[in-house]
Amino acid sequence: MGEREGPDPARARDAAALVALMRELRERSGLTYRLLQRRAAEEGMVLPRSTIADALARTALPRAEVLEAFVVACGDGARRDAWLEARRRIAGREDAPAPGRRRVRRLRLLWWLPAAVAVLALAYWAFTPSPAGTSGAGRPSPAPSAADAARGRGGAFSLFEARSVKGATIASVGYRYWDTGDGWYGVEYVMPYSRDDREAYGDGWGGRLLIHYEDRRGRHTEVLAGNPDGDQQAGRDTVRYGMRNVWFEVCDFDGRELRGCQRLRMARK
């Protein structure tokens, strides 16, 4: 996409205007959310379809990493710095307090301080853990629900990627985990993706991206994405609980057997 053809991020004066320009950029690209996800993955970036939809539906500033991946996927990577600079400018403007309001905010904070102390004291009394395995009334504590566990979700995604031993299949996946407090973990992986290298087109071998993990029933291996010879495939974004010892592997696959398997390694956070 040429610089003169695309929307100019310097025109954006607030978050809503910047998001409107992002919508225009996506419309000009003609790409679906799935294709944007794939194009970002080819550049080593994590950009789930759900994240794109959420960013374009809101009027709040997107995260910097989301904006960068989106712009690159839309084909405007040559101007990514201009987009990021527009975001920094708007974020600085929105974070700055309006003149004459700083003292008002300080007074409001002082007014709320006693109430906040009381709420914290009540919360401490109500939620201080009882002895292990019991609730405050001496009953066994229930296992944390999926919703409770999700509140303890971990930090940023890490990108994992690798090629099969002979380099015919390329795979990547974004991954993070969090401790649910029961000896197991919640995990979320996004943009599982595998593709055949161009130099290996027509050799009869496609590829598979595999996930290996352990749950309460034992050890398992599943296919996250399986591309045919000369093609590519993106799998589904997923959140799961009760897992550990999770790792990913890329292999060549001809419909019958796997070969050249290689473990995915962390590329960046």
PDB file of all heavy atoms in Angstrom, residues 32-44:
ATOM      1  N   THR A  32      -9.621 -10.092   5.185  1.00  0.00           N
ATOM      2  CA  THR A  32     -10.461 -10.555   6.285  1.00  0.00           C
ATOM      3  C   THR A  32      -9.639 -10.607   7.560  1.00  0.00           C
ATOM      4  O   THR A  32      -8.414 -10.543   7.540  1.00  0.00           O
ATOM      5  CB  THR A  32     -11.017 -11.948   5.984  1.00  0.00           C
ATOM      6  OG1 THR A  32      -9.913 -12.878   5.914  1.00  0.00           O
ATOM      7  CG2 THR A  32     -11.779 -11.976   4.668  1.00  0.00           C
ATOM      8  N   TYR A  33     -10.337 -10.763   8.694  1.00  0.00           N
ATOM      9  CA  TYR A  33      -9.628 -10.873   9.964  1.00  0.00           C
ATOM     10  C   TYR A  33      -8.698 -12.092   9.960  1.00  0.00           C
ATOM     11  O   TYR A  33      -7.595 -12.048  10.507  1.00  0.00           O
ATOM     12  CB  TYR A  33     -10.628 -11.009  11.120  1.00  0.00           C
ATOM     13  CG  TYR A  33     -11.416  -9.756  11.403  1.00  0.00           C
ATOM     14  CD1 TYR A  33     -12.481  -9.764  12.298  1.00  0.00           C
ATOM     15  CD2 TYR A  33     -11.118  -8.548  10.781  1.00  0.00           C
ATOM     16  CE1 TYR A  33     -13.213  -8.610  12.568  1.00  0.00           C
ATOM     17  CE2 TYR A  33     -11.845  -7.397  11.033  1.00  0.00           C
ATOM     18  CZ  TYR A  33     -12.892  -7.445  11.928  1.00  0.00           C
ATOM     19  OH  TYR A  33     -13.617  -6.301  12.189  1.00  0.00           O
ATOM     20  N   ARG A  34      -9.166 -13.193   9.372  1.00  0.00           N
ATOM     21  CA  ARG A  34      -8.327 -14.405   9.329  1.00  0.00           C
ATOM     22  C   ARG A  34      -7.050 -14.154   8.531  1.00  0.00           C
ATOM     23  O   ARG A  34      -5.963 -14.562   8.935  1.00  0.00           O
ATOM     24  CB  ARG A  34      -9.113 -15.563   8.722  1.00  0.00           C
ATOM     25  CG  ARG A  34      -8.302 -16.847   8.600  1.00  0.00           C
ATOM     26  CD  ARG A  34      -9.137 -17.988   8.076  1.00  0.00           C
ATOM     27  NE  ARG A  34     -10.091 -18.430   9.070  1.00  0.00           N
ATOM     28  CZ  ARG A  34      -9.805 -19.328  10.014  1.00  0.00           C
ATOM     29  NH1 ARG A  34      -8.594 -19.852  10.077  1.00  0.00           N
ATOM     30  NH2 ARG A  34     -10.717 -19.695  10.878  1.00  0.00           N
ATOM     31  N   LEU A  35      -7.173 -13.465   7.391  1.00  0.00           N
ATOM     32  CA  LEU A  35      -5.983 -13.194   6.586  1.00  0.00           C
ATOM     33  C   LEU A  35      -5.050 -12.214   7.293  1.00  0.00           C
ATOM     34  O   LEU A  35      -3.819 -12.334   7.196  1.00  0.00           O
ATOM     35  CB  LEU A  35      -6.388 -12.647   5.216  1.00  0.00           C
ATOM     36  CG  LEU A  35      -6.990 -13.669   4.253  1.00  0.00           C
ATOM     37  CD1 LEU A  35      -7.444 -12.980   2.970  1.00  0.00           C
ATOM     38  CD2 LEU A  35      -5.980 -14.763   3.929  1.00  0.00           C
ATOM     39  N   LEU A  36      -5.606 -11.258   8.015  1.00  0.00           N
ATOM     40  CA  LEU A  36      -4.760 -10.349   8.784  1.00  0.00           C
ATOM     41  C   LEU A  36      -3.993 -11.116   9.858  1.00  0.00           C
ATOM     42  O   LEU A  36      -2.808 -10.861  10.101  1.00  0.00           O
ATOM     43  CB  LEU A  36      -5.615  -9.253   9.427  1.00  0.00           C
ATOM     44  CG  LEU A  36      -6.202  -8.205   8.468  1.00  0.00           C
ATOM     45  CD1 LEU A  36      -7.144  -7.280   9.225  1.00  0.00           C
ATOM     46  CD2 LEU A  36      -5.093  -7.397   7.799  1.00  0.00           C
ATOM     47  N   GLN A  37      -4.663 -12.050  10.500  1.00  0.00           N
ATOM     48  CA  GLN A  37      -4.001 -12.878  11.503  1.00  0.00           C
ATOM     49  C   GLN A  37      -2.841 -13.657  10.884  1.00  0.00           C
ATOM     50  O   GLN A  37      -1.742 -13.718  11.442  1.00  0.00           O
ATOM     51  CB  GLN A  37      -5.009 -13.852  12.125  1.00  0.00           C
ATOM     52  CG  GLN A  37      -4.392 -14.864  13.078  1.00  0.00           C
ATOM     53  CD  GLN A  37      -5.440 -15.768  13.693  1.00  0.00           C
ATOM     54  OE1 GLN A  37      -6.225 -15.330  14.530  1.00  0.00           O
ATOM     55  NE2 GLN A  37      -5.462 -17.026  13.302  1.00  0.00           N
ATOM     56  N   ARG A  38      -3.074 -14.235   9.731  1.00  0.00           N
ATOM     57  CA  ARG A  38      -2.026 -15.019   9.068  1.00  0.00           C
ATOM     58  C   ARG A  38      -0.855 -14.143   8.638  1.00  0.00           C
ATOM     59  O   ARG A  38       0.314 -14.511   8.804  1.00  0.00           O
ATOM     60  CB  ARG A  38      -2.604 -15.730   7.848  1.00  0.00           C
ATOM     61  CG  ARG A  38      -3.553 -16.861   8.189  1.00  0.00           C
ATOM     62  CD  ARG A  38      -4.042 -17.554   6.933  1.00  0.00           C
ATOM     63  NE  ARG A  38      -4.930 -18.654   7.230  1.00  0.00           N
ATOM     64  CZ  ARG A  38      -5.535 -19.399   6.313  1.00  0.00           C
ATOM     65  NH1 ARG A  38      -5.348 -19.134   5.031  1.00  0.00           N
ATOM     66  NH2 ARG A  38      -6.327 -20.398   6.655  1.00  0.00           N
ATOM     67  N   ARG A  39      -1.168 -12.976   8.088  1.00  0.00           N
ATOM     68  CA  ARG A  39      -0.088 -12.100   7.622  1.00  0.00           C
ATOM     69  C   ARG A  39       0.746 -11.597   8.787  1.00  0.00           C
ATOM     70  O   ARG A  39       1.967 -11.463   8.675  1.00  0.00           O
ATOM     71  CB  ARG A  39      -0.679 -10.933   6.835  1.00  0.00           C
ATOM     72  CG  ARG A  39      -1.262 -11.367   5.498  1.00  0.00           C
ATOM     73  CD  ARG A  39      -1.740 -10.196   4.668  1.00  0.00           C
ATOM     74  NE  ARG A  39      -0.666  -9.242   4.379  1.00  0.00           N
ATOM     75  CZ  ARG A  39      -0.702  -8.373   3.384  1.00  0.00           C
ATOM     76  NH1 ARG A  39      -1.754  -8.352   2.583  1.00  0.00           N
ATOM     77  NH2 ARG A  39       0.277  -7.533   3.184  1.00  0.00           N
ATOM     78  N   ALA A  40       0.117 -11.339   9.921  1.00  0.00           N
ATOM     79  CA  ALA A  40       0.882 -10.943  11.106  1.00  0.00           C
ATOM     80  C   ALA A  40       1.777 -12.089  11.570  1.00  0.00           C
ATOM     81  O   ALA A  40       2.938 -11.873  11.940  1.00  0.00           O
ATOM     82  CB  ALA A  40      -0.070 -10.523  12.227  1.00  0.00           C
ATOM     83  N   ALA A  41       1.246 -13.315  11.550  1.00  0.00           N
ATOM     84  CA  ALA A  41       2.043 -14.471  11.966  1.00  0.00           C
ATOM     85  C   ALA A  41       3.267 -14.657  11.077  1.00  0.00           C
ATOM     86  O   ALA A  41       4.344 -15.032  11.549  1.00  0.00           O
ATOM     87  CB  ALA A  41       1.178 -15.737  11.945  1.00  0.00           C
ATOM     88  N   GLU A  42       3.117 -14.391   9.781  1.00  0.00           N
ATOM     89  CA  GLU A  42       4.251 -14.516   8.865  1.00  0.00           C
ATOM     90  C   GLU A  42       5.351 -13.509   9.197  1.00  0.00           C
ATOM     91  O   GLU A  42       6.512 -13.716   8.839  1.00  0.00           O
ATOM     92  CB  GLU A  42       3.772 -14.309   7.422  1.00  0.00           C
ATOM     93  CG  GLU A  42       2.889 -15.455   6.921  1.00  0.00           C
ATOM     94  CD  GLU A  42       2.253 -15.150   5.567  1.00  0.00           C
ATOM     95  OE1 GLU A  42       2.416 -14.007   5.087  1.00  0.00           O
ATOM     96  OE2 GLU A  42       1.595 -16.041   5.013  1.00  0.00           O
ATOM     97  N   GLU A  43       4.991 -12.428   9.887  1.00  0.00           N
ATOM     98  CA  GLU A  43       5.973 -11.426  10.309  1.00  0.00           C
ATOM     99  C   GLU A  43       6.420 -11.644  11.745  1.00  0.00           C
ATOM    100  O   GLU A  43       7.110 -10.806  12.322  1.00  0.00           O
ATOM    101  CB  GLU A  43       5.380 -10.022  10.181  1.00  0.00           C
ATOM    102  CG  GLU A  43       5.003  -9.638   8.762  1.00  0.00           C
ATOM    103  CD  GLU A  43       6.219  -9.529   7.855  1.00  0.00           C
ATOM    104  OE1 GLU A  43       7.304  -9.200   8.367  1.00  0.00           O
ATOM    105  OE2 GLU A  43       6.082  -9.776   6.639  1.00  0.00           O
ATOM    106  N   GLY A  44       6.017 -12.790  12.339  1.00  0.00           N
ATOM    107  CA  GLY A  44       6.413 -13.097  13.710  1.00  0.00           C
ATOM    108  C   GLY A  44       5.645 -12.342  14.769  1.00  0.00           C
ATOM    109  O   GLY A  44       6.138 -12.162  15.883  1.00  0.00           O
TER     110      GLY A  44
END
